[in-house]
Each structure stands twice: as structure tokens, then as C-alpha cells.
């Protein structure tokens, strides 16, 4: 019996097609407060840092580094050179997207910087939402898929729903937990945002790393309660929603995760990076399960 | 034909810790008072040092959705709910978060043609006029345009 080679829709796509181009970088003497403003303005998760003498990229700083500085009680006026890490992990613009995704998966990274084809200069950034955005565009444009279930070897492939992919253990805290405690939980659980519940265990809001660094820049203290800076209401979806719809919402709203609500309770969380890591798009129209809708 | 001749010396400015919502209200009020639309203002700190410029473009950049490139082309996806979500985010943002800090400035003796060249090269519609470290005025591209056109018409 002939074996059918499953064609992966990612075949032939390079990093260059998915990445965001033109990366900003800041000089290493930039005070943390101004670095945080940059994060807010450009809605970014990391920023590159260049040396003041040679202008070369010598590091990067992430929101985690900033929350670490907040936790350590560092002043927001200190230069970013004090907390930056790096140099950043990179891949090449000409690399296959699949290879870059492997690098990100095995390193448990949320993003990778991209160097140009000719030089070692950093040309762009690739994160999971860029990859999902590209796949979404490809799948919507594809004329070979139908808007129906495809039969494979006589079996209908079910379309994935949120409940099939979500994480059921949802990290949560109460509205009165102080910001130091919030930072500790995010760090221990290696997550980017925390659900805040009120005394009835009902969802009250969400605190993300971005909210924490804004609090840091505004001069709020580590003993401030979570309720002061949390975002309400919580953006939710249902367990029965299609994964494709959930992805679409996360991309459209530029958010990293959806909390899953059943009745009045939060029963799970679905993050964009988990979905992207899980299924790397072998196209349904080309006879295997696919992540983005059509 | 120098900057000092056409600059606006009665300028308003913003403080870094004002909210964007306040800044927008001030921009509109400034426009109403002078009769011309104002799309950007200088940001001065408490010691009256020039620390940034906030323009319409900076605000538009912030409200631009990251993936509008994907969704903009799709007729069946409405960006409306997204738009409402974004407007909610604006409430917590301050002038210091969105202002541009890398500023080009000119002096009161700079020739108008050099001012024009600077505006073209740096893609800016307004330039602060600085003398001995103090802001003494601001030049708008529209004002520069009007003056140069007058000269051309007279010739």
C-alpha cells in the first residue's frame, strides 16, 4: 500500500514571511522608566539594547527582567544596562519557519530575533502570534479546503474545541494579594498572567506582566493589592468553542490568552503559544489535521 | 526668512504624567482657541525642559491593532469589537508613554529653507525652536508653507 506523504502547509515558508521587521533598540543608558514607556507604546514583549559607545546590539530586556527589578526594589531611574540579559537568541530570515518553531519549542521561548540574510544585523522578531497570523492568512486563502469535515480513512476528523486543548490548572490569586506576591506566583508557575478572583471565587480581573511594569513605572509599591492594577472584565471563551474561533479572537484582540468560563467559574485557560506549539499546521485540505479555520 | 520670524511664541504644552485622554482634550482646545487644528504638542517637565513631543501619529500608532494587516483585508471580520477594546486600553496611558523622545530642534536664526529641509528629512510637521536650552517657540509646517507660498506669489 502506498504511503501518502502528508504535506505540511509550513513547507517552504521562511521566517522572513512571518516575522515583524524593523526592530527598535534603545541605548543602554536608558532609564528603566523610559524602557517601560517603550514597552507600552510599541506593545512589545522584549526590546533590544545597544551599547552607547559602538551602537551595536549587546543585549535585550524583557518584561520579566523588569518585574524582577521591581521585585528587587530597584529604582526606575537606573539605566537598563543594569538589568539587561543577552545577547539574544537569533535565527536567520532565510531559515524555514519550521526550524525556527523547533528552536522556540525546545527552548520554551516566546520569541526569537531574526538576523538578515547577508549580515548579522538584527532584522526582525518572530513570535507565536506572528506565526499564527501567517497560518491564519494562508488557511483562509486556501481554495482547496472546504468548509466542512474531511473524511480521512473513513473517519471524520473532529474539529478541535477549547476543552481539548486548554490547561485546566489555572493559576489564580485573590484581589488582596500584594504585587510582590503576584510576581512570585508568575515566576514560580512560569506564566505571563494571573487570574484574580474575589472572595466568592468569581473572576474579578487579570494581571499581566505588562500591568506590573506599568505599576512599577507609576511608582506603585510592592505591597499594593492586585485589585488596584488588575484589568476587568476577564476576556473569556467557552469550553465548547472551536479552537479556530479562539485563535481568531486572540489575534484580533492582540491578547495572549483566553480564560475558559463555565457558568460562573473559570475552568481553564488557553494561551496562543500553547496552541501554536501543539499543532504546527498540516493542512486539512491536504489530508491531516489543521489548526486554523476554513 | 528665519525661524524667529514665523514661530509661534504663545504655545501650549503637555506634562509627561498627564493621561492621553487629557492630552487629546488639550489638543482640541488649543485648536479651538487658535482657529487652526493642532496635531501635536511639546512635552515639558516640571523644570520647563523640553523632554518630548506627542503627536497624532504617536497616538494612532498606539491604537493601531497589531494584526490589522491580517484582518483589514477580510470583508467578513468586523474590527469593531477590537476597536472598543483598544479604546479601553487608552485610559491608562500617559503622555510620557507615547511621546517621542528623540527630538530634532532648530534655533531662532535658522533659515526657513533649512527648517523646510529638516521637516522633510525627519518627516515632522512641527519643530521646537530652542535658544540656549530654552524653548522659545514652535514652527508648524502649515505656517511655513503659507509663508513660502506668499513669497512665491509675490515674486
Amino acid at each position: 500500500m502506498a504511503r501518502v506523504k502528508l504535506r505540511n502547509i509550513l513547507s517552504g515558508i521562511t521566517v522572513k514571511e512571518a516575522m515583524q521587521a524593523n526592530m527598535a533598540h534603545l541605548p543602554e543608558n536608558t532609564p528603566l522608566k523610559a524602557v517601560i514607556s517603550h514597552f507600552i507604546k510599541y506593545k512589545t514583549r522584549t526590546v533590544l539594547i545597544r551599547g552607547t559607545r559602538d551602537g551595536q546590539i549587546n543585549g535585550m530586556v524583557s518584561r520579566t527582567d523588569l518585574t524582577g527589578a521591581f521585585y528587587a526594589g530597584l529604582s526606575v531611574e537606573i539605566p537598563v544596562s543594569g538589568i539587561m540579559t543577552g545577547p539574544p537568541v537569533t535565527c536567520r530570515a532565510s531559515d524555514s519557519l519550521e526550524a525556527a518553531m523547533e528552536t522556540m519549542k525546545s527552548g520554551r521561548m516566546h520569541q526569537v530575533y531574526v538576523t538578515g540574510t547577508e549580515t548579522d544585523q538584527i532584522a526582525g522578531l518572530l513570535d507565536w502570534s506572528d506565526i499564527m497570523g501567517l497560518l491564519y492568512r494562508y488557511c483562509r486563502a486556501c481554495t482547496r479546503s472546504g468548509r466542512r469535515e474531511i473524511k480521512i480513512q473513513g473517519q471524520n476528523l473532529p474539529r478541535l474545541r477549547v476543552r481539548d486543548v486548554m490547561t485546566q490548572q489555572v493559576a489564580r490569586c485573590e484581589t488582596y494579594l500584594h504585587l510582590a506576591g503576584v510576581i512570585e506566583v508568575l515566576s514560580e508557575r512560569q506564566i505571563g498572567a494571573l487570574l484574580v478572583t474575589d472572595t466568592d471565587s468569581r473572576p474579578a480581573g487579570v494581571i499581566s506582566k505588562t500591568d506590573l511594569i506599568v505599576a512599577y513605572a507609576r511608582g506603585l509599591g510592592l505591597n499594593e493589592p492586585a485589585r488596584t492594577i488588575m484589568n476587568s472584565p476577564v476576556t473569556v471563551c467557552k469550553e465548547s468553542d472551536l479552537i479556530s474561533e479562539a485563535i481568531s479572537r486572540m489575534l484580533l484582540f492582540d491578547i495572549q490568552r483566553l480564560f475558559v468560563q463555565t457558568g460562573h467559574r473559570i475552568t481553564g485557560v488557553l494561551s496562543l503559544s500553547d496552541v501554536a506549539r501543539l499543532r504546527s499546521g498540516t493542512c486539512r485540505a491536504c489530508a491531516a489535521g489543521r489548526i486554523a479555520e476554513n | 526668512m528665519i525661524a524667529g520670524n514665523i514661530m509661534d511664541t504663545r504655545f501650549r504644552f503637555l506634562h509627561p504624567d498627564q493621561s492621553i485622554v487629557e492630552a487629546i482634550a488639550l489638543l482640541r482646545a488649543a485648536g479651538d482657541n487658535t482657529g487652526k487644528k493642532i496635531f501635536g504638542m511639546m512635552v515639558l517637565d516640571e523644570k520647563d525642559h523640553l523632554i518630548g513631543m506627542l503627536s497624532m501619529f504617536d497616538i494612532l500608532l498606539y491604537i493601531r491593532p497589531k494584526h490589522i494587516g491580517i484582518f483589514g483585508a477580510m470583508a467578513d471580520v468586523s474590527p469593531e469589537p477590537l476597536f472598543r477594546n483598544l479604546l479601553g486600553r487608552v485610559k491608562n496611558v500617559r503622555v510620557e508613554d507615547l511621546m517621542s523622545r528623540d527630538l530634532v530642534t532648530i534655533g531662532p536664526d535658522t533659515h526657513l529653507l533649512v527648517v523646510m529641509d529638516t521637516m522633510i528629512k525627519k518627516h515632522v510637521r512641527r519643530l521646537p525652536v530652542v535658544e540656549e536650552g530654552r524653548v522659545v517657540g514652535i514652527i508648524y509646517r502649515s505656517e511655513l508653507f503659507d509663508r513660502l507660498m506668499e513669497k512665491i506669489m509675490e515674486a
Side-chain angles (χ1 to χ4, degrees):
Chain A
M1 185 124 73
R3 286 193 61 145
V4 175
K5 186 167 191 235
L6 296 179
R7 197 171 68 104
N8 188 317
I9 62 164
L10 293 180
S11 302
I13 302 179
T14 60
V15 166
K16 191 169 184 191
E17 287 180 65
M19 73 184 198
Q20 309 161 40
N22 300 325
M23 298 322 302
H25 37 83
L26 296 172
E28 64 187 355
N29 57 2
T30 309
L32 297 190
K33 192 167 189 200
V35 175
I36 293 172
S37 290
H38 180 98
F39 272 88
I40 296 169
K41 180 172 183 176
Y42 295 98
K43 294 175 234 146
T44 182
R45 305 170 69 138
T46 61
V47 71
L48 294 168
I49 305 298
R50 65 175 186 269
T52 36
R53 276 170 305 148
D54 60 1
Q56 295 300 309
I57 302 296
N58 59 5
M60 62 185 255
V61 68
S62 70
R63 294 173 308 170
T64 312
D65 299 322
L66 288 163
T67 54
F70 187 14
Y71 192 74
L74 298 179
S75 157
V76 279
E77 307 293 344
I78 69 166
V80 68
S81 51
I83 67 162
M84 71 188 192
T85 61
V89 175
T90 62
C91 66
R92 284 186 299 272
S94 53
D95 286 346
S96 74
L97 194 59
E98 286 176 87
M101 285 171 71
E102 267 315 305
T103 307
M104 286 166 70
K105 279 186 215 183
S106 51
R108 285 202 67 102
M109 292 159 20
H110 288 287
Q111 68 282 314
V112 65
Y113 280 95
V114 184
T115 54
T117 36
E118 276 130 55
T119 65
D120 279 331
Q121 299 284 41
I122 297 199
L125 174 68
L126 181 75
D127 66 22
W128 290 112
S129 66
D130 299 317
I131 295 169
M132 297 304 294
L134 181 93
L135 292 177
Y136 191 90
R137 264 179 291 157
Y138 265 80
C139 292
R140 279 195 72 114
C142 179
T143 52
R144 291 180 58 187
S145 69
R147 288 174 189 271
R148 53 186 165 81
E149 308 285 347
I150 304 270
K151 280 191 185 297
I152 307 293
Q153 293 167 346
Q155 283 182 307
N156 269 341
L157 274 186
R159 300 173 82 185
L160 283 180
R161 296 188 183 267
V162 167
R163 73 169 71 90
D164 302 323
V165 181
M166 72 186 196
T167 304
Q168 288 174 322
Q169 290 80 40
V170 177
R172 58 192 85 205
C173 72
E174 307 254 356
T175 51
Y176 52 75
L177 182 66
H178 47 55
L179 298 189
V182 173
I183 296 173
E184 282 164 12
V185 175
L186 292 184
S187 170
E188 272 163 49
R189 307 280 293 258
Q190 300 217 308
I191 52 179
L194 188 58
L195 178 70
V196 184
T197 55
D198 62 22
T199 42
D200 292 335
S201 295
R202 285 170 185 233
V206 183
I207 294 190
S208 71
K209 286 188 192 167
T210 305
D211 300 319
L212 284 165
I213 65 175
V214 171
Y216 184 25
R218 305 284 191 248
L220 292 176
L222 287 166
N223 47 17
E224 200 69 40
R227 82 170 74 83
T228 309
I229 69 165
M230 69 186 186
N231 282 299
S232 304
V234 180
T235 312
V236 295
C237 64
K238 299 192 289 294
E239 286 191 15
S240 55
D241 286 344
L242 292 173
I243 286 291
S244 54
E245 284 165 18
I247 293 170
S248 177
R249 278 179 71 197
M250 285 191 275
L251 289 178
L252 187 63
F253 286 83
D254 194 17
I255 53 182
Q256 279 301 116
R257 64 194 57 74
L258 290 171
F259 286 93
V260 187
Q261 187 170 39
T262 307
H264 291 297
R265 296 178 312 117
I266 297 294
T267 50
V269 62
L270 182 78
S271 88
L272 196 58
S273 48
D274 289 337
V275 176
R277 276 197 289 259
L278 175 75
R279 302 294 294 268
S280 57
T282 35
C283 181
R284 175 166 287 176
C286 307
R290 175 163 49 90
I291 41 170
E293 177 190 30
N294 220 325
Chain B
M1 288 287 281
I2 56 172
N5 297 145
I6 72 166
M7 68 187 184
D8 190 346
T9 51
R10 301 155 309 145
F11 50 86
R12 280 160 203 80
F13 54 87
L14 299 168
H15 295 286
D17 48 2
Q18 284 172 313
S19 74
I20 292 297
V21 175
E22 279 181 80
I24 293 171
L26 287 167
L27 282 169
R28 295 179 99 178
D32 291 339
N33 287 345
T34 59
K36 4 175 233 224
K37 284 190 179 289
I38 307 276
F39 295 117
M41 271 204 227
M42 294 181 286
V43 185
L44 272 54
D45 68 10
E46 66 280 348
K47 301 201 189 94
D48 283 347
H49 294 141
L50 178 65
I51 55 170
M53 182 85 80
L54 182 75
S55 77
M56 168 175 73
F57 194 73
D58 296 317
I59 300 174
L60 286 179
L61 258 184
Y62 181 71
I63 60 179
R64 178 175 72 160
K66 193 175 170 197
H67 297 287
I68 190 66
I70 303 172
F71 293 97
M74 295 173 187
D76 57 337
V77 178
S78 164
E80 190 58 40
L82 155 63
F83 187 57
R84 273 181 268 127
N85 175 280
L86 280 169
L87 293 180
R89 288 200 214 175
V90 169
K91 286 193 217 120
N92 291 326
V93 183
R94 292 187 181 178
V95 167
E96 63 192 343
D97 297 327
L98 302 191
M99 70 186 188
S100 301
R101 293 163 194 262
D102 262 333
L103 296 182
V104 183
T105 62
I106 48 166
D109 295 328
T110 309
H111 195 280
L112 291 189
L113 292 177
V114 177
V115 176
M116 175 177 77
D117 186 55
T118 307
M119 286 185 171
I120 291 171
K121 281 200 185 118
K122 302 290 179 178
H123 303 284
V124 290
R125 297 173 63 135
R126 65 197 69 75
L127 279 172
V129 185
V130 174
E131 185 169 45
E132 283 163 24
R134 280 177 40 252
V135 181
V136 294
I138 184 162
I139 293 198
Y140 299 104
R141 189 161 66 181
S142 53
E143 191 63 44
L144 176 69
F145 181 78
D146 286 343
R147 291 305 190 97
L148 291 174
M149 289 307 108
E150 264 176 42
K151 290 285 177 188
I152 289 175
M153 306 289 253
E154 281 169 17

